[in-house]
Amino acid sequence: MAHRPARGHRCVPHTADVRIEAWAPDREGCVAEAVAALVDTFVDTASATATGSSEFRVPPAHDGDLLVGVLDEVIFRMETEGELPLGTEVHPAADGGLTVRWRTTGTDAVELVGAVPKAVSLHELRFGPAPGGWECAVTLDV
């Protein structure tokens, strides 16, 4: 890839599902970018405003499992509570897990622009240190 900013995300072509890539200087920033990438694949949040906030913890696990745990939580809350993150802060927990804080809005406050993800695929999951920081690539089942 040509020069890219220190932090960001993008959607990349994939045959049947949706594939996202994210990168940041640190592990937690990369997880936050992956959340933004997931949301960007199916809704337009440009005119949405945060109406709530929430926090949750992901228990200690391997880095890939931590990432999947956070992304699965986005899908779960969307399906069960009609809630989507507009902003994400991720912090390491003392026990090796993660603490995630979201500024949220309701699913009724955003415009649907793509296929809604149903699950995070473990196939070809990548997450780890890379030149310049951390990066991940994830396939979302739609």
Side-chain angles (χ1 to χ4, degrees), residues 79-105:
E79 291 176 347
T80 62
E81 298 175 21
E83 175 183 273
L84 285 173
L86 293 180
T88 303
E89 293 178 22
V90 181
H91 301 281
D95 65 1
L98 297 173
T99 300
V100 180
R101 292 183 186 101
W102 282 327
R103 290 183 323 280
T104 60
T105 193

Side-chain angles (χ1 to χ4, degrees), residues 3 14 16 33 52 61 64 69 92 96-97 105 110:
H3 178 71
H14 192 268
E33 285 295 331
T105 193
V110 295

Side-chain angles (χ1 to χ4, degrees), residues 29-120:
C30 190
V31 171
E33 285 295 331
V35 169
L38 183 153
V39 172
D40 285 353
T41 66
F42 69 101
V43 294
D44 178 4
T45 60
S47 62
T49 57
T51 56
S53 64
S54 61
E55 179 176 308
F56 73 99
R57 294 225 341 98
V58 181
H62 293 289
D63 291 328
D65 293 333
L66 291 171
L67 173 65
V68 170
V70 173
L71 298 178
D72 278 344
E73 188 72 14
V74 173
I75 294 168
F76 174 77
R77 289 184 185 215
M78 174 192 60
E79 291 176 347
T80 62
E81 298 175 21
E83 175 183 273
L84 285 173
L86 293 180
T88 303
E89 293 178 22
V90 181
H91 301 281
D95 65 1
L98 297 173
T99 300
V100 180
R101 292 183 186 101
W102 282 327
R103 290 183 323 280
T104 60
T105 193
T107 54
D108 57 348
V110 295
E111 180 182 346
L112 187 66
V113 295
V116 177
K118 300 297 179 200
V120 178

Side-chain angles (χ1 to χ4, degrees), residues 4 129-135:
R4 66 181 185 188
W134 280 68
E135 61 183 38

